[in-house]
Amino acid sequence: MARPSEEDGFSEGEDKALLLDAESGHRGIQIARKWRKRLLRPAVIRIIGELCGEFIGTFFLVLIVITVNTTDVVLGADVGLWQVAVVSGLGVGLSIYSTSHFSNSHFNPAVTIAFALVRWRAFSWKKIVPYVVVQIFAGFLSGSMLYAMYWNAIALYEKNNNITRGSDASVSSAMIFGEYFPNPGFNVFQNETTDAVSAAKAMAIEAWATGILVFMIFSFSDPNNSSVGSKKSKVAIPVLIGLTVAVLISLYAPLTQAGMNPARDFGPRLFAAAAGWGRIAIPGPGNGFWVYIVGPLIGGPIGGAMYDWVVAWLILQQPKDERKSI
């Protein structure tokens, strides 16, 4: 680099200042290049892609589930629990199909933690925090998107039913965002307190249902499962997971609304708390919002462990030619 001189119209002090600026700029360029190399490393690109997939998949999954709840509760557009369950299951399957080629498609903190604890060789525990944060954030944005589209319908529903948002009665409209026990949408539980389904029972139901869901996910993703292990049959896995969700909703939604996913419950619930439902959203009637976090986080890893450490282990003890196949 040519050195500025007095002949160029620069004094000695200006000369030194220019050199310092040049050196600082050069160091800045070096630092920028170093960070660019770090950020563009394959491992970093991979985790960014995974997190993008988690965000997109969780956003669409939660949006579909809470929107079909809204059309059922607020508009009466869906007839019967099975319609809600099927649409929710299809939402799960479509979300997996749309992101599985660049992410792990967990969309659920319970699934993420189960993989980190049980299949730690394939999924590092270091990914738990970023995955869960992205999932919860996506759920929150799903709640805000739902409200942006249906706020007038929700307000009209509350007006027609004499519901003051934030009051105890507003659980009937808050249930489109988060889950409640007992399910306020069923006549048998109307005007009942949470004693009809205790917090302990609700947590056990959520743990049980999530355990079944994660057990099925681990089974479907097991390469030794001959029914879905081939390349051609793997295309059916998202459908099977979605059907599992639909069945579990049909079985347990009458009691707890069948959350099975802290991102699906807590993300929209956070938005509901900020949108006027307040204490009805968090902590909820009987301070029970924790049920939909603790239950799935207990049940998910247990379901995954039951498959990998018991069922899959027993299968591997058999000679290959003796293993049953469909």
Side-chain angles (χ1 to χ4, degrees):
M1 178 178 176
R3 182 185 181 93
S5 65
E6 293 186 6
E7 294 179 0
D8 298 318
F10 295 100
S11 66
E12 184 176 351
E14 290 173 328
D15 184 5
K16 291 180 179 179
L18 285 170
L19 286 173
L20 287 173
D21 288 343
E23 289 174 1
S24 298
H26 185 62
R27 283 198 300 270
I29 293 172
Q30 288 181 326
I31 292 171
R33 286 175 177 171
K34 185 183 293 185
W35 275 104
R36 186 174 63 180
K37 287 181 179 179
R38 288 181 180 179
L39 293 175
L40 293 180
R41 285 184 302 174
V44 175
I45 296 297
R46 192 180 309 117
I47 188 63
I48 291 174
E50 289 178 17
L51 293 177
C52 286
E54 286 298 311
F55 175 82
I56 295 169
T58 307
F59 176 82
F60 282 121
L61 183 155
V62 176
L63 182 62
I64 291 170
V65 172
I66 62 177
T67 302
V68 73
N69 278 348
T70 304
T71 59
D72 177 50
V73 172
V74 174
L75 302 175
D78 301 285
V79 181
L81 177 60
W82 180 240
Q83 285 192 10
V84 175
V86 167
V87 174
S88 299
L90 286 172
V92 172
L94 292 172
S95 298
I96 296 173
Y97 277 126
S98 65
T99 62
S100 60
H101 55 297
F102 63 100
S103 79
N104 288 301
S105 301
H106 292 174
F107 314 147
N108 185 339
V111 175
T112 294
I113 292 174
F115 271 95
L117 293 178
V118 180
R119 293 185 178 175
W120 66 88
R121 293 185 180 89
F123 185 81
S124 171
W125 62 268
K126 295 178 181 178
K127 296 181 180 180
I128 291 177
V129 172
Y131 264 59
V132 172
V133 169
V134 165
Q135 291 160 356
I136 298 294
F137 181 60
F140 178 87
L141 290 184
S142 296
S144 64
M145 178 63 73
L146 167 73
Y147 191 73
M149 292 186 289
Y150 280 93
W151 68 269
N152 51 347
I154 296 170
L156 187 61
Y157 169 79
E158 291 174 328
K159 179 181 177 181
N160 292 339
N161 290 276
N162 298 315
I163 295 171
T164 300
R165 189 172 299 180
S167 67
D168 291 342
S170 66
V171 69
S172 297
S173 54
M175 66 181 288
I176 65 180
F177 293 98
E179 284 93 4
Y180 293 88
F181 63 92
N183 189 330
F186 281 77
N187 291 332
V188 69
F189 292 128
Q190 284 184 356
N191 302 319
E192 291 288 337
T193 66
T194 54
D195 292 336
V197 177
S198 68
K201 181 177 181 179
M203 185 190 73
I205 292 169
E206 286 294 311
W208 169 253
T210 310
I212 294 174
L213 173 61
V214 176
F215 181 94
M216 293 297 183
I217 291 172
F218 274 53
S219 174
F220 298 148
S221 59
D222 181 2
N224 294 307
N225 186 340
S226 59
S227 60
V228 290
S230 68
K231 192 171 183 180
K232 289 184 178 180
S233 58
K234 280 183 179 179
V235 71
I237 291 177
V239 175
L240 296 173
I241 295 174
L243 283 174
T244 302
V245 170
V247 169
L248 291 171
I249 289 174
S250 298
L251 295 177
Y252 301 114
L255 298 174
T256 66
Q257 290 190 255
M260 302 178 287
N261 183 344
R264 175 262 172 272
D265 177 82
F266 191 62
R269 190 186 288 269
L270 281 173
F271 176 82
W277 281 271
R279 64 179 181 82
I280 294 300
I282 298 174
N287 301 317
F289 82 100
W290 60 271
V291 162
Y292 299 98
I293 298 174
V294 176
L297 294 185
I298 292 174
I302 291 175
M306 282 297 295
Y307 182 81
D308 268 23
W309 297 349
V310 179
V311 176
W313 181 82
L314 289 172
I315 292 172
L316 290 175
Q317 306 314 304
Q318 302 174 10
K320 267 191 175 183
D321 56 349
E322 294 182 12
R323 295 176 192 170
K324 294 187 179 296
S325 60
I326 295 178

